Amino acid sequence: DMHRPHNLMLGVMSDMGTIGLVLIIGVYVSGLTASAGVSPPFKIGLYALLYSLIIGITDTVMYETWLVLIMFGSCGGMLAGYLCQPESELALEAAQK
């Protein structure tokens, strides 16, 4: 276990480089931003992102399949709730077309 990165940022940086680190930070920032305008049943993605960030301080979250499935599954539910809102920007753009 000595050669395994000990947190999320080092793990992503060693596997995917700087571009991968920028992309994973973008995923977290966009997820946290999108969770602000979602109703409570769909806010589960926010809690999954926060949980993976807290665990990511001390462990490499992306190497645990069950954590990745929970995180991206709940973030997909949050995205579905964000896209189904009638007052969202994407829904307004689609209605105008």
Side-chain angles (χ1 to χ4, degrees), residues 23-43:
L23 290 174
I24 201 74
I25 289 171
V27 166
Y28 277 101
V29 168
S30 63
L32 293 173
T33 304
S35 69
V38 177
S39 62
F42 296 107
K43 255 193 205 295

Side-chain angles (χ1 to χ4, degrees), residues 8-53:
L8 176 66
M9 297 303 160
L10 287 177
V12 170
M13 191 72 168
S14 69
D15 289 344
M16 295 180 265
T18 306
I19 295 173
L21 184 63
V22 169
L23 290 174
I24 201 74
I25 289 171
V27 166
Y28 277 101
V29 168
S30 63
L32 293 173
T33 304
S35 69
V38 177
S39 62
F42 296 107
K43 255 193 205 295
I44 191 166
L46 170 67
Y47 305 120
L49 283 174
L50 291 176
Y51 177 75
S52 68
L53 280 174

Side-chain angles (χ1 to χ4, degrees), residues 44-67:
I44 191 166
L46 170 67
Y47 305 120
L49 283 174
L50 291 176
Y51 177 75
S52 68
L53 280 174
I54 291 170
I55 296 297
I57 292 171
T58 59
D59 197 12
T60 51
V61 180
M62 296 300 169
Y63 295 124
E64 300 291 334
T65 306
W66 65 275
L67 278 173

